[in-house]
Amino acid sequence: MRLLMINPNMTEAMTRPMARVAQGIAGDTAEIIALTAAQGFPYISSRAEAQIAGAHVLDVIAHHHDSVDAVIIAAFGDPGLMAARELFDLPVVGMAEAAILTAAMLGDRFSIVTFSPHMARWYGDCVRQTGLEARFTGVRCPKTAPVSVDTVATDLRADLIGLVEEATARDGADVVILGGAPLTGVASDIASEVQGLLVDPIAAATAQAIGLVRLAPTYGRRVARPVAKPSTGLSPALARVIAGG
Amino acid sequence: MRLLMINPNMTEAMTRPMARVAQGIAGDTAEIIALTAAQGFPYISSRAEAQIAGAHVLDVIAHHHDSVDAVIIAAFGDPGLMAARELFDLPVVGMAEAAILTAAMLGDRFSIVTFSPHMARWYGDCVRQTGLEARFTGVRCPKTAPVSVDTVATDLRADLIGLVEEATARDGADVVILGGAPLTGVASDIASEVQGLLVDPIAAATAQAIGLVRLAPTYGRRVARPVAKPSTGLSPALARVIAGG
Amino acid sequence: MRLLMINPNMTEAMTRPMARVAQGIAGDTAEIIALTAAQGFPYISSRAEAQIAGAHVLDVIAHHHDSVDAVIIAAFGDPGLMAARELFDLPVVGMAEAAILTAAMLGDRFSIVTFSPHMARWYGDCVRQTGLEARFTGVRCPKTAPVSVDTVATDLRADLIGLVEEATARDGADVVILGGAPLTGVASDIASEVQGLLVDPIAAATAQAIGLVRLAPTYGRRVARPVAKPSTGLSPALARVIAGG
Amino acid sequence: MRLLMINPNMTEAMTRPMARVAQGIAGDTAEIIALTAAQGFPYISSRAEAQIAGAHVLDVIAHHHDSVDAVIIAAFGDPGLMAARELFDLPVVGMAEAAILTAAMLGDRFSIVTFSPHMARWYGDCVRQTGLEARFTGVRCPKTAPVSVDTVATDLRADLIGLVEEATARDGADVVILGGAPLTGVASDIASEVQGLLVDPIAAATAQAIGLVRLAPTYGRRVARPVAKPSTGLSPALARVIAGG
Amino acid sequence: MRLLMINPNMTEAMTRPMARVAQGIAGDTAEIIALTAAQGFPYISSRAEAQIAGAHVLDVIAHHHDSVDAVIIAAFGDPGLMAARELFDLPVVGMAEAAILTAAMLGDRFSIVTFSPHMARWYGDCVRQTGLEARFTGVRCPKTAPVSVDTVATDLRADLIGLVEEATARDGADVVILGGAPLTGVASDIASEVQGLLVDPIAAATAQAIGLVRLAPTYGRRVARPVAKPSTGLSPALARVIAGG
Amino acid sequence: MRLLMINPNMTEAMTRPMARVAQGIAGDTAEIIALTAAQGFPYISSRAEAQIAGAHVLDVIAHHHDSVDAVIIAAFGDPGLMAARELFDLPVVGMAEAAILTAAMLGDRFSIVTFSPHMARWYGDCVRQTGLEARFTGVRCPKTAPVSVDTVATDLRADLIGLVEEATARDGADVVILGGAPLTGVASDIASEVQGLLVDPIAAATAQAIGLVRLAPTYGRRVARPVAKPSTGLSPALARVIAGG
């Protein structure tokens, strides 16, 4: 089984730890093909950026969909997820959605802890997108944005532990999602020091992608496929998919 | 007052009647600057296409935002609306959102009538995006897609009248939105032949854009502005906006 | 275009500044005909008072609906709005509803700031009435009621600025509505001193009324019109409307 | 125990059967004091009429609240209920609300069957007012309005039986409320001929009023009481209550 | 009229005061037959315990349903309520549901005050079960669990008064339910010392049970009755009911 | 990895095909330990039966939880799921919940097709329990109950194909869940003959259970664990778990 893991952020240094965690979950079951976006932004943190980066995600999938079994969009916020799921005939998994649905099987209520207040709104939107906001206790984050996203996992370790405790003790969450690519690996690092069950989104996304491939949905029979049509300004690979090829 | 009306569909033949209706509503109050997308698709009808076309809409606004007072995204479905509203310091109005909020002031419950079943799901999503689904009685559309979108306003005239009647008599709608750029002008054409109040989305969007400009919101004090950041692969104009310029 | 602006509160001193702001928005486009309620209460602040004052609003409209193009109910809380919209064949706009729907086009989430805790519940009810509570971050108000409503705009200026800041910084509102007739004009007064976009309800209501008149809905074709019937104890003008005259 | 039953409709012929059913439920426990509105309409069927009739209900209660233990507003649609509950220091029960909450204790999902399509929307609004719409399967009514409301209970007997069957068999209701004062007594008349549990609203309202009086809520400690204030144009009795007397 | 009051908790000392309050509400109208669970737990405080105790409740009802007019499940949390209502042909009332629906007739918004944080989540679930969460302001409880549940009504008297004040003053509740069998009688004890209307759940449940019996629903015509079937491991009485006997 | 699959229905003939499908999904990754309930009913189809059978499920888990890595409750309807998840320190997966959350990752909207109208309500309740009802298009089932549940997969093959087509074509579902243990294996049998993606609940539950074990949640740090307490009438194994052993 081959899983394409696309990091829609242009930061290669985020891709590596995510690929490592994903491969750890996949073990011998699946091979992780990790790609980093060649266009867009170092780190996506707004809807405008997600609009643009999500279009690039479609382009990357268009180049690779024939040679993989499923796709993981490896940015919490899932840019392009709904569009990709509509367009391609294979499972497409988003880090945020997979983490949220996994959390829903581990406990009643879940929280998202992240590293910057700039992410809070977008991550809340992700929960609304799934439809599970009634079980969501909210986003907990530091009051100020970090100086650099590259080292938040170590710089903010103590803060993140405190935020998880607030999410469980004050907000009543059973499960806490550590949201945002820069927090990859933090869940397993701090799990023994906090109350509550933790979810690492890239781990959850990998497990869900493997599960969906095993279920072997018959994509050839899929409804809600866009009507084939011509296009202008797209890469040949993406234009071909849009044209129904 | 200058209003930039962007047709995210590449079909120039749709832009002209929309510009005519918009200018009719604006009268002497505002000048309509009408543009047609130079990239994308003849007619957007899926989330994948909206993901891509919405990114192009941001680019078009980036080139013109300094010389206009407000922007109208002239495709029912509002590609790029939330992203544009987040990014730019002027009112950005979407045809679907403006039509829906206007309908909410004309009566209790509203319906959308459109020309093709391919639009039904996306238009329903637009309602959910506004948050007003509790007052929405659903989409009514013909059972099959039309041969050509260019002539639906005349080809389907009788069908549309029937669908409006179903929306009011069976579904209990007080107000019916005639959704989709190809239906521009149909509302005023058939208003005297049907029960119920009709909304022409481009007319509603123009009226709302003028209203918002009159209220003169102080965009300079806006919160929820994305953090400035570098980018790769964007037009210089859009890259400059993203960079906070 | 002639717009009837009815202040359902009996306080003439509130009507004047509202008429001034309304006329400022309308400019040459519309003439504001401002009336103050001749029955009821100095200032409506409960459902019981709104029940009674709303019935009087219907009576006032019944006397004037033939000579105006639209009606503005100029009390935040919109007494009689739903009843009037059902009964009369012209656009009827409420200050609260217009402010809320306008806020929904300026940003994602909105708050209401007002001058007294006695208003908080009723104003929250107004949001629920529109159906937009999922985008509402709540009412912010001073802890105690003001000594006099007449001078709150000046007496509470500093408090209102603080409440707006709480609404945006703590509650995450993008847009803040300054709710309540006594706060007319405060939005433009403090806009440059606060974060967030402000909405002055009477300004929003005026802009919406003008927009609806421009759209020229065909009220003659309206559904959901009450069955004509006799009545006892009503003014001749209102009785005639109820009787279908 | 004395229960004031106010019929907000001016039709004395409706008051009598409602008083009879209410007294039947009350037995020796309570005396029903039945009053018919002296102002308003023969039969309320719109929001505009409810706005006016509800104000009159407040006036009637103001004249009698000192000499009774609870009030029943005996029109399905509950004109003035929220306002009265806010204003007076005794239990105020509405026929629709009491029927709906009673239905919620008899089964999972409930329907409303009524005698005219003109009532359907208003009755649906009543359900939304309680907050229980998620358990509501909708209103079933004849396709056309009856010639006279006075004899619907007998004229439409067969139709009502058919509508109840549709509500249970097609819509999945466990409980069916026979809504509207003209249907008083129909529930017990047809109960043995239909599937499903039936609720007669005036019976439910009487039982609830007796129950609330038995619980002896300490109205003297009530919060959310309107601020005392002067008024113009009200009856002395109602003005005195509004003035906090 | 005979009402079976089952305490699903095994603590006889809780049954007595509940029976006393219930009989006080019932007066001469009904005889309270009070039973204490012979299996299960001293005090139910989790879903797992409610799953088990609820099955025992069904067994107790199966032994007595032929000789009583209605059943009261006398544990806040209503273990077995939905199952019992589906299975037996008589009114089954739960303490939590009855308290919540009664609160909804006394005011707009209600709160639950209880004696231990361990109850908060389960009690919130009860509100969601009714469908009235939009009118619910939340659970207020002490920060730590009491040493013994037997004496909480006296030990925590001052704390409970403080929690009621928080529920009304901070959370905006009009009505406060004192939830949990150990708080039986507290409502009438503290009513004169707090703001807000109080509900004693066993009192509310008794009043509702009496009301439902008076309405005489025709259970013989009930829909949604389980299909008769064989069973293994049940008491003969319960097996007979399940078998349709 | 060892997965305990409990069939809460007493029908051994249902357990075998479910175990076969589960082992097919698990492959070499996990061993399926399949057990059939020794108490309860041949086939659970009501809340009363689920109340009783769910208590037995807790008992079965109590006997085996130390020797397995996760539990699958193998009855659509998930009797005992919430209680088990609260009580035991390992992943507990329900067939309905797993199928629903899996469907939510395959498409926007999902339907449940089942074999008998008696299941429709309970299965709808399962969707509500997850919180995803906004994406649920409803249950489709034959108009009458089958003569025997043992052979529905073959007897109703043509009907089920028709119901799936209705779910996708009329209701707009992207994904159809074939709900109910007797339909095990039908999804893969008919997948090539219908439009839409199909979900076999036992397959989905197995994939989810494997995924959750791989994520290795730290159950030792779990919050919301019931307080340890004594009990009466439980098996020693379950009593020990309840006692915190």
Side-chain angles (χ1 to χ4, degrees):
Chain A
M1 191 188 304
R2 288 162 56 86
L3 305 180
L4 175 64
M5 188 195 94
I6 305 170
N7 180 7
N9 301 303
M10 293 184 70
T11 307
E12 184 71 31
M14 284 176 195
T15 312
R16 280 190 301 268
M18 288 198 288
R20 199 160 43 232
V21 168
Q23 194 64 63
I25 292 292
D28 294 341
T29 307
E31 179 191 358
I32 306 298
I33 320 296
L35 292 180
T36 307
Q39 283 187 29
F41 315 94
Y43 193 67
I44 302 165
S45 62
S46 76
R47 290 169 173 184
E49 293 152 23
Q51 178 85 47
I52 295 164
H56 183 55
V57 163
L58 299 181
D59 195 38
V60 176
I61 303 178
H63 282 84
H64 296 274
H65 70 113
D66 283 343
S67 61
V68 296
D69 296 290
V71 174
I72 297 168
I73 299 179
F76 205 85
D78 302 346
L81 176 64
M82 295 300 145
R85 191 169 280 162
E86 192 184 68
L87 198 58
F88 296 101
D89 277 340
L90 81 180
V92 185
V93 172
M95 250 168 84
E97 187 192 70
I100 291 164
L101 296 179
T102 298
M105 268 177 292
L106 290 172
D108 245 23
R109 284 170 223 175
F110 63 94
S111 171
I112 297 174
V113 160
T114 189
F115 58 91
S116 166
H118 295 134
M119 301 294 139
R121 175 172 296 207
W122 191 28
Y123 290 1
D125 287 350
C126 288
V127 177
R128 263 177 294 284
Q129 176 72 41
T130 64
L132 284 173
E133 61 270 44
R135 297 172 63 183
F136 178 47
T137 65
V139 174
R140 286 269 177 186
C141 58
K143 288 204 167 19
T144 55
V147 178
S148 156
V149 298
D150 299 345
T151 55
V152 289
T154 47
D155 293 358
L156 298 181
R157 194 175 185 282
D159 299 79
L160 293 167
I161 288 173
L163 292 166
V164 169
E165 295 290 356
E166 288 176 8
T168 53
R170 291 200 208 160
D171 303 339
D174 300 305
V175 185
V176 179
I177 297 167
L178 287 155
L183 297 190
T184 295
V186 172
S188 59
D189 177 31
I190 67 171
S192 63
E193 298 176 46
V194 296
Q195 295 295 319
L197 299 182
L198 302 184
V199 173
D200 189 322
I202 191 67
T206 307
Q208 292 290 0
I210 292 171
L212 292 180
V213 173
R214 283 198 169 156
L215 296 177
T218 52
Y219 276 95
R221 309 297 296 170
R222 201 158 59 86
V223 288
R225 197 187 302 271
V227 177
K229 61 178 61 166
S231 61
T232 301
L234 276 59
S235 78
L238 184 53
R240 200 160 43 236
V241 173
I242 299 272
Chain B
M1 192 188 304
R2 288 162 55 86
L3 305 180
L4 175 64
M5 188 195 94
I6 304 170
N7 179 7
N9 301 304
M10 294 185 69
T11 307
E12 185 70 32
M14 285 176 195
T15 312
R16 281 190 300 270
M18 288 198 288
R20 197 158 47 231
V21 169
Q23 193 64 64
I25 291 292
D28 294 341
T29 308
E31 178 191 0
I32 306 298
I33 319 296
L35 292 180
T36 306
Q39 283 187 29
F41 315 94
Y43 193 67
I44 301 165
S45 63
S46 76
R47 290 170 172 182
E49 293 153 22
Q51 178 84 46
I52 296 164
H56 184 56
V57 163
L58 298 182
D59 195 39
V60 176
I61 302 177
H63 282 85
H64 296 274
H65 69 112
D66 283 341
S67 62
V68 296
D69 296 291
V71 174
I72 297 169
I73 300 179
F76 204 85
D78 301 345
L81 176 62
M82 295 301 144
R85 192 169 281 160
E86 192 184 67
L87 199 59
F88 296 101
D89 278 338
L90 82 180
V92 185
V93 173
M95 252 169 83
E97 188 192 69
I100 291 164
L101 296 178
T102 298
M105 267 177 294
L106 290 171
D108 244 23
R109 285 171 222 175
F110 62 94
S111 171
I112 298 174
V113 161
T114 189
F115 58 90
S116 165
H118 295 135
M119 301 293 139
R121 174 171 297 207
W122 191 27
Y123 289 2
D125 287 349
C126 289
V127 178
R128 261 176 296 284
Q129 176 72 42
T130 63
L132 284 173
E133 61 268 44
R135 298 171 63 182
F136 178 48
T137 66
V139 174
R140 286 270 178 186
C141 57
K143 286 203 169 22
T144 55
V147 178
S148 157
V149 298
D150 299 344
T151 54
V152 289
T154 48
D155 292 358
L156 298 181
R157 194 176 186 281
D159 299 79
L160 292 167
I161 288 174
L163 292 167
V164 169
E165 296 289 356
E166 288 176 9
T168 53
R170 290 199 207 161
D171 303 338
D174 301 305
V175 185
V176 179
I177 297 167
L178 287 155
L183 297 190
T184 296
V186 171
S188 58
D189 177 31
I190 68 172
S192 64
E193 298 176 46
V194 296
Q195 295 295 318
L197 299 182
L198 302 184
V199 173
D200 189 322
I202 191 66
T206 307
Q208 292 291 358
I210 292 170
L212 292 180
V213 172
R214 283 199 169 157
L215 296 177
T218 52
Y219 276 96
R221 309 296 297 170
R222 200 158 61 86
V223 287
R225 196 187 301 271
V227 177
K229 59 178 63 166
S231 61
T232 302
L234 277 57
S235 78
L238 184 52
R240 198 158 44 236
V241 173
I242 298 272
Chain C
M1 191 188 306
R2 288 164 55 87
L3 305 180
L4 176 63
M5 188 195 93
I6 304 170
N7 179 7
N9 301 303
M10 294 184 69
T11 307
E12 185 70 31
M14 285 176 196
T15 313
R16 282 190 299 269
M18 288 198 288
R20 198 158 45 230
V21 169
Q23 193 63 64
I25 291 291
D28 294 341
T29 308
E31 178 189 359
I32 306 297
I33 319 297
L35 292 180
T36 306
Q39 282 187 29
F41 315 94
Y43 192 68
I44 302 165
S45 62
S46 76
R47 290 169 172 183
E49 293 153 23
Q51 178 85 46
I52 296 164
H56 183 57
V57 163
L58 298 182
D59 195 37
V60 176
I61 302 177
H63 282 84
H64 297 274
H65 69 113
D66 283 342
S67 62
V68 296
D69 296 290
V71 174
I72 297 168
I73 300 179
F76 204 85
D78 302 344
L81 175 63
M82 295 300 144
R85 191 169 281 160
E86 191 183 69
L87 200 57
F88 296 101
D89 278 340
L90 81 179
V92 185
V93 173
M95 250 169 86
E97 188 192 69
I100 290 164
L101 296 179
T102 298
M105 268 178 292
L106 291 172
D108 243 24
R109 284 171 223 175
F110 62 95
S111 171
I112 298 174
V113 160
T114 189
F115 58 91
S116 165
H118 294 135
M119 300 295 141
R121 174 171 298 209
W122 191 27
Y123 289 0
D125 287 349
C126 288
V127 178
R128 262 176 294 284
Q129 176 71 42
T130 63
L132 285 174
E133 61 269 43
R135 297 172 63 182
F136 178 46
T137 65
V139 174
R140 286 268 178 186
C141 58
K143 288 205 168 19
T144 56
V147 177
S148 157
V149 298
D150 299 344
T151 54
V152 289
T154 46
D155 293 358
L156 297 181
R157 194 175 185 282
D159 300 78
L160 293 166
I161 288 174
L163 292 166
V164 169
E165 297 288 357
E166 288 176 9
T168 53
R170 290 200 207 160
D171 303 339
D174 300 305
V175 184
V176 179
I177 297 167
L178 286 155
L183 297 190
T184 295
V186 171
S188 59
D189 177 30
I190 68 171
S192 64
E193 298 176 46
V194 296
Q195 295 296 320
L197 299 182
L198 301 183
V199 172
D200 189 323
I202 191 66
T206 307
Q208 292 290 0
I210 292 171
L212 292 179
V213 173
R214 284 199 169 156
L215 295 177
T218 53
Y219 276 96
R221 309 297 295 170
R222 199 158 62 85
V223 287
R225 197 186 301 271
V227 177
K229 61 179 60 168
S231 61
T232 302
L234 276 57
S235 78
L238 183 53
R240 199 159 43 237
V241 174
I242 298 272
Chain D
M1 194 188 302
R2 288 163 54 86
L3 305 180
L4 175 64
M5 188 196 92
I6 305 169
N7 179 8
N9 300 304
M10 294 185 69
T11 307
E12 185 70 32
M14 284 175 195
T15 312
R16 281 190 301 270
M18 287 198 289
R20 197 158 48 230
V21 169
Q23 193 64 65
I25 291 292
D28 294 342
T29 308
E31 180 190 358
I32 306 298
I33 320 296
L35 293 180
T36 306
Q39 283 187 29
F41 315 93
Y43 193 68
I44 301 164
S45 62
S46 76
R47 290 169 172 183
E49 294 152 23
Q51 177 85 46
I52 295 164
H56 183 56
V57 164
L58 298 182
D59 195 38
V60 177
I61 302 177
H63 282 85
H64 296 274
H65 70 113
D66 283 341
S67 63
V68 296
D69 297 289
V71 174
I72 297 168
I73 300 179
F76 204 85
D78 302 344
L81 175 63
M82 296 301 144
R85 193 168 281 161
E86 193 184 67
L87 199 58
F88 296 101
D89 277 339
L90 81 180
V92 185
V93 173
M95 250 169 85
E97 187 192 68
I100 291 164
L101 296 179
T102 298
M105 268 177 293
L106 290 172
D108 245 23
R109 285 171 222 175
F110 63 95
S111 171
I112 298 174
V113 160
T114 189
F115 58 91
S116 165
H118 295 135
M119 301 294 140
R121 174 172 297 209
W122 191 28
Y123 290 1
D125 287 349
C126 288
V127 178
R128 263 176 295 284
Q129 176 71 43
T130 63
L132 284 174
E133 61 269 44
R135 297 172 63 182
F136 178 48
T137 66
V139 174
R140 286 268 178 186
C141 59
K143 288 204 170 18
T144 56
V147 178
S148 157
V149 298
D150 300 344
T151 54
V152 288
T154 47
D155 292 358
L156 297 180
R157 194 176 185 282
D159 300 79
L160 293 166
I161 288 173
L163 292 167
V164 169
E165 296 290 355
E166 287 177 9
T168 54
R170 290 200 207 161
D171 304 338
D174 301 305
V175 186
V176 179
I177 298 167
L178 287 154
L183 297 190
T184 295
V186 171
S188 58
D189 177 30
I190 68 171
S192 64
E193 299 176 45
V194 296
Q195 296 295 320
L197 299 182
L198 301 183
V199 173
D200 189 322
I202 191 66
T206 307
Q208 292 291 358
I210 292 171
L212 291 180
V213 173
R214 284 200 169 156
L215 296 178
T218 52
Y219 276 95
R221 308 297 296 170
R222 201 158 61 85
V223 287
R225 197 186 302 271
V227 177
K229 60 178 63 166
S231 61
T232 302
L234 276 57
S235 78
L238 184 52
R240 197 158 44 236
V241 173
I242 298 273
Chain E
M1 191 188 305
R2 288 162 55 86
L3 306 179
L4 175 64
M5 188 196 94
I6 305 170
N7 180 7
N9 300 304
M10 294 184 69
T11 307
E12 185 70 31
M14 285 176 193
T15 312
R16 281 190 301 268
M18 288 198 287
R20 198 159 45 232
V21 169
Q23 194 62 65
I25 291 292
D28 295 341
T29 308
E31 178 190 359
I32 306 298
I33 319 296
L35 291 181
T36 307
Q39 282 186 28
F41 314 94
Y43 193 67
I44 302 166
S45 62
S46 75
R47 290 170 172 182
E49 293 152 22
Q51 177 84 47
I52 295 165
H56 184 56
V57 163
L58 298 181
D59 194 38
V60 177
I61 303 177
H63 282 85
H64 296 274
H65 69 113
D66 283 342
S67 62
V68 297
D69 296 291
V71 174
I72 297 168
I73 300 179
F76 204 86
D78 302 346
L81 177 62
M82 295 301 145
R85 193 168 280 160
E86 191 185 69
L87 199 58
F88 296 102
D89 277 340
L90 81 179
V92 185
V93 173
M95 251 169 84
E97 188 192 70
I100 291 164
L101 296 178
T102 299
M105 268 177 294
L106 291 173
D108 244 24
R109 284 171 223 175
F110 63 94
S111 171
I112 297 174
V113 160
T114 190
F115 59 91
S116 165
H118 294 134
M119 301 294 140
R121 173 172 298 205
W122 191 27
Y123 289 1
D125 287 349
C126 288
V127 178
R128 262 176 295 284
Q129 176 72 40
T130 63
L132 284 173
E133 61 269 44
R135 297 171 63 182
F136 178 46
T137 66
V139 174
R140 286 268 178 187
C141 58
K143 287 202 170 19
T144 55
V147 178
S148 156
V149 298
D150 299 345
T151 54
V152 289
T154 47
D155 293 359
L156 298 181
R157 194 176 186 281
D159 299 79
L160 293 166
I161 289 173
L163 293 166
V164 169
E165 296 290 355
E166 288 177 9
T168 53
R170 290 200 207 161
D171 303 339
D174 300 306
V175 185
V176 179
I177 298 167
L178 287 155
L183 297 191
T184 295
V186 172
S188 58
D189 177 30
I190 67 172
S192 64
E193 298 176 46
V194 296
Q195 295 296 318
L197 299 182
L198 301 183
V199 173
D200 189 321
I202 191 67
T206 307
Q208 291 291 359
I210 291 170
L212 291 180
V213 172
R214 283 198 169 155
L215 296 176
T218 53
Y219 276 96
R221 309 297 296 170
R222 199 158 61 85
V223 287
R225 197 187 301 272
V227 177
K229 60 179 60 167
S231 61
T232 302
L234 277 58
S235 77
L238 183 51
R240 199 159 44 237
V241 174
I242 299 273
Chain F
M1 193 188 301
R2 287 162 56 86
L3 305 180
L4 175 63
M5 188 194 95
I6 305 171
N7 179 7
N9 301 303
M10 294 184 70
T11 307
E12 184 70 32
M14 283 175 196
T15 312
R16 280 190 301 269
M18 288 198 288
R20 199 159 44 233
V21 169
Q23 194 63 65
I25 291 293
D28 295 340
T29 308
E31 179 190 359
I32 305 298
I33 319 296
L35 292 180
T36 306
Q39 283 187 29
F41 315 94
Y43 193 69
I44 301 165
S45 62
S46 75
R47 290 169 172 184
E49 294 152 23
Q51 177 84 47
I52 295 164
H56 183 56
V57 163
L58 298 182
D59 195 38
V60 176
I61 302 177
H63 281 84
H64 296 274
H65 69 115
D66 283 342
S67 61
V68 296
D69 296 290
V71 174
I72 297 169
I73 299 179
F76 205 85
D78 302 346
L81 176 63
M82 295 301 144
R85 192 169 280 161
E86 192 185 67
L87 199 58
F88 296 102
D89 277 339
L90 81 181
V92 185
V93 173
M95 251 169 83
E97 187 192 69
I100 292 163
L101 296 179
T102 298
M105 268 177 292
L106 290 172
D108 244 23
R109 285 171 223 175
F110 63 94
S111 171
I112 297 174
V113 160
T114 189
F115 58 90
S116 166
H118 295 135
M119 301 295 139
R121 174 172 297 208
W122 191 27
Y123 290 1
D125 288 348
C126 288
V127 177
R128 261 176 295 284
Q129 176 72 41
T130 63
L132 285 173
E133 61 269 43
R135 297 171 63 183
F136 178 48
T137 66
V139 175
R140 286 270 178 186
C141 58
K143 287 202 167 24
T144 56
V147 178
S148 157
V149 298
D150 299 344
T151 54
V152 288
T154 47
D155 292 358
L156 298 180
R157 194 175 185 282
D159 300 78
L160 293 167
I161 288 174
L163 293 167
V164 169
E165 296 290 355
E166 288 177 8
T168 54
R170 289 200 208 161
D171 304 337
D174 300 305
V175 185
V176 179
I177 297 167
L178 286 155
L183 297 190
T184 296
V186 171
S188 57
D189 177 30
I190 68 171
S192 64
E193 299 176 46
V194 296
Q195 295 295 320
L197 299 183
L198 301 184
V199 172
D200 188 323
I202 191 68
T206 307
Q208 291 290 0
I210 291 171
L212 292 180
V213 173
R214 284 199 169 156
L215 295 178
T218 52
Y219 275 97
R221 309 297 296 170
R222 200 158 60 85
V223 287
R225 197 187 301 270
V227 177
K229 61 178 62 166
S231 61
T232 302
L234 276 58
S235 77
L238 184 52
R240 199 159 43 237
V241 173
I242 298 273

